[in-house]
C-alpha cells in the first residue's frame, strides 16, 4: 500500500529525472457491465536518446481510502487477472475477467525501468473503470417489487387495487345501512299509505 502523496511525489520526481519519458495508459475511462472483461494497456515512450534496457510493470488500484493496492494482492481479484508484458513494444497489459460491481475504481500501471544502470519508475495517469449493474427486465421487476422506500409504478398499482377493495369493504356496512334505511322508509311510507287507504281513522289517531 502506498499513500497517494507518495504516488504524486513519484510522478513529480520521475518527471524531473526523466523528462523525455512518459507512460501512456489506455483507455482513460471505461464503462462496462458486470460479467464483461476488460484489458488495460500501458506503453512507455522514450526519446531516441534514451535507451530503456529493462523494465517490469506493476498494476495498482486506488482504494476508497486513497491508497494504492497492488492488484495481485487483492483476494477479490484473484483468478480473474491476467498480466502481460511485451518487451519489444515496451508495453504491458492487464486483463480483468468476469467484472464485478466492486471492481469499479482507478487502475494505474507503474513502469519500473532501467536506463544507463539507473532504475527509475513512472506511473501512468490511470484508467477509471466503472462497472455497471446488468439491466434485464427480470431484475427491473425484481427491484420494483423488492423496493421498500420508493413508490414505483408496481407499488402504486397495488395500492390502487388495495385501496379500492379497502374502501369497498369499509363502506359495505354503511351501504347496507343506507339500503336498510331506504327500505324502512319506503316500507313505512307504504304502510302509512296502506293504513291511510284502508283505515283513515287510525291515521288520524296516530297524528
Ligand atoms: C503485496 O503483497 C506482498 C507480499 O505478499 C507485499 O510484500 C507487498 O508490499 C504488497 N504490495 C502492496 C502494494 O500492498
Ligand atoms: C497525465 O495528466 C497530465 C495532467 O492531467 C497531463 O498533462 C499529461 O499529459 C498526462 N500524461 C499522459 C501520458 O497522458
Ligand atoms: C472473458 O475472459 C474469460 C477468461 O479470460 C474468457 O473465458 C471469456 O471468454 C471472456 N469473455 C468475453 C466476453 O470475452
Ligand atoms: C465484491 O462483490 C462480490 C460479489 O459480486 C463479493 O463476493 C465480494 O466479497 C466483494 N468484495 C469486496 C471486497 O467487497
Ligand atoms: C429510490 O430512488 C432513488 C432514485 O430515484 C435512489 O437513489 C434510491 O436509492 C432509491 N431508494 C430505494 C430504497 O430503493
Ligand atoms: C402502498 O402500500 C404499502 C403496503 O402495502 C405501503 O407501505 C405504502 O406506503 C403504500 N404507498 C402508498 C403510496 O400508499
Amino acid at each position: 500500500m502506498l499513500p497517494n502523496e507518495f504516488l504524486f511525489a513519484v510522478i513529480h520526481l520521475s518527471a524531473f529525472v526523466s523528462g523525455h519519458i512518459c507512460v501512456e495508459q489506455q483507455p482513460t475511462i471505461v464503462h462496462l457491465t458486470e460479467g464483461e472483461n476488460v484489458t488495460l494497456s500501458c506503453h512507455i515512450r522514450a526519446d531516441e536518446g534514451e535507451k530503456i534496457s529493462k523494465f517490469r510493470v506493476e498494476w495498482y488500484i486506488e482504494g476508497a481510502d486513497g491508497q494504492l493496492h497492488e492488484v495481485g494482492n487483492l483476494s477479490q481479484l484473484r483468478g480473474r487477472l491476467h498480466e502481460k508484458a511485451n518487451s519489444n513494444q515496451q508495453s504491458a497489459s492487464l486483463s480483468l475477467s468476469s467484472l464485478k460491481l466492486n471492481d469499479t475504481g482507478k487502475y494505474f500501471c507503474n513502469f519500473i525501468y532501467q536506463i544507463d544502470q539507473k532504475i527509475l519508475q513512472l506511473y501512468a495517469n490511470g484508467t477509471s473503470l466503472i462497472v455497471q449493474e446488468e439491466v434485464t427486465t427480470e431484475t427491473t421487476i425484481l427491484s420494483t417489487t423488492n423496493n421498500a422506500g420508493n413508490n414505483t409504478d408496481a407499488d402504486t398499482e397495488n395500492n390502487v387495487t388495495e385501496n379500492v377493495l379497502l374502501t369497498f369493504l369499509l363502506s359495505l356496512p354503511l351501504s347496507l345501512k343506507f339500503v336498510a334505511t331506504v327500505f324502512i322508509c319506503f316500507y313505512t311510507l307504504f304502510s302509512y299509505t296502506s293504513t291511510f287507504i284502508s283505515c283513515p281513522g287510525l291515521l288520524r289517531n296516530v297524528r
Side-chain angles (χ1 to χ4, degrees):
M1 282 185 256
L2 296 171
N4 232 1
E5 294 75 24
F6 181 68
L7 161 65
F8 293 122
V10 166
I11 288 174
H12 284 266
L13 186 69
S14 306
F16 177 72
V17 172
S18 52
H20 309 287
I21 290 173
C22 77
V23 177
E24 290 170 337
Q25 186 172 335
Q26 294 288 337
T28 46
I29 182 160
V30 60
H31 291 257
L32 290 164
T33 303
E34 280 180 283
E36 288 187 307
N37 298 346
V38 70
T39 298
L40 315 179
S41 59
C42 269
H43 175 54
I44 190 161
R45 282 155 69 94
D47 277 359
E48 277 176 36
E50 309 275 12
K51 179 88 182 72
I52 295 169
S53 46
K54 275 188 214 167
F55 74 89
R56 70 185 170 87
V57 175
E58 289 171 347
W59 290 90
Y60 290 88
I61 179 171
E62 190 177 33
D65 51 6
Q67 298 208 305
L68 293 178
H69 305 269
E70 204 170 340
V71 291
N73 282 11
L74 297 178
S75 58
Q76 71 260 31
L77 296 177
R78 206 153 289 156
R80 297 191 290 121
L81 291 172
H82 188 66
E83 290 181 41
K84 267 200 289 197
N86 184 321
S87 50
N88 291 335
Q89 290 175 5
Q90 304 194 324
S91 65
S93 68
L94 172 75
S95 297
L96 250 171
S97 59
S98 310
L99 286 173
K100 297 194 163 116
L101 290 179
N102 54 23
D103 292 338
T104 293
K106 197 153 188 184
Y107 294 74
F108 296 91
C109 69
N110 180 28
F111 262 81
I112 296 142
Y113 59 95
Q114 192 173 339
I115 292 184
D116 305 332
Q117 309 305 313
K118 277 185 293 184
I119 293 176
L120 302 166
Q121 67 171 335
L122 191 53
Y123 279 88
N125 279 358
T127 296
S128 292
L129 170 67
I130 297 145
V131 184
Q132 291 150 325
E133 207 171 334
E134 195 174 2
V135 179
T136 64
T137 326
E138 213 174 336
T139 57
T140 308
I141 291 164
L142 217 73
S143 70
T144 52
T145 46
N146 282 348
N147 185 327
N150 284 349
N151 279 329
T152 59
D153 287 350
D155 278 345
T156 316
E157 227 169 275
N158 278 348
N159 283 8
V160 166
T161 43
E162 255 171 48
N163 287 348
V164 166
L165 196 68
L166 203 67
T167 312
F168 174 73
L169 284 174
L170 281 175
S171 62
L172 200 58
L174 264 167
S175 317
L176 284 175
K177 205 173 161 187
F178 177 73
V179 169
T181 312
V182 167
F183 178 77
I184 289 163
C185 274
F186 273 96
Y187 181 79
T188 317
L189 193 68
F190 179 74
S191 11
Y192 270 123
T193 317
S194 40
T195 317
F196 180 72
I197 291 164
S198 56
C199 40
L202 196 70
L203 184 69
R204 227 172 284 132
N205 281 348
V206 171
R207 272 183 175 174

